[in-house]
Amino acid sequence: IAELERRQIDAFGASGLNVWIPVREESSVVQALLHCGWAVRAGEFYRLKSGPAIRVTTASLEPRDAAPFAEDFPAALRPRLRASMT
C-alpha cells in the first residue's frame, strides 16, 4: 500500500492479506497486469456495493516485489490501442 501511495494510487487493506485498488475498468487492468507478469483478480467477485476495483493477494508477494508492482500499475490503467483490422 505504501508503494502505491507513493505513486498517488489509492489502495486499501486492513488484514494484510489482500489489497483493494479501485479502478475504472477491472478486466482491462487485470489483463494488462497479467501481461506484465502480475496475477490479480477482478473485484467483482468480492464486492457488494463498492465500485470497480482489483484485488491483490499479498500472501505470496515478497516485500521486494512491492515497488516493481507499483511501478507497473500506472501503465495498466492506460487504455491500450487495438490494431486496426483493415
Side-chain angles (χ1 to χ4, degrees), residues 40-75:
V40 300
R41 293 287 309 247
E44 66 183 319
F45 301 108
Y46 308 101
R47 62 182 157 89
L48 297 174
K49 294 185 179 183
S50 67
I54 63 163
R55 179 180 170 202
V56 180
T57 300
T58 59
S60 62
L61 186 69
E62 296 293 329
R64 67 179 179 268
D65 295 329
F69 176 82
E71 289 169 8
D72 288 342
F73 193 81

Side-chain angles (χ1 to χ4, degrees), residues 30-47:
V30 169
Q31 290 175 6
L33 287 170
L34 185 59
H35 183 73
C36 292
W38 304 106
V40 300
R41 293 287 309 247
E44 66 183 319
F45 301 108
Y46 308 101
R47 62 182 157 89

Side-chain angles (χ1 to χ4, degrees), residues 6 8 10 12 18 27-29 36 46-47 49 51-52 56 58-59 67 70-71 74 82-83:
R6 284 188 190 106
Q8 289 77 47
D10 291 331
F12 309 93
N18 298 295
S27 63
S28 64
V29 173
C36 292
Y46 308 101
R47 62 182 157 89
K49 294 185 179 183
V56 180
T58 59
E71 289 169 8
R82 292 180 181 223

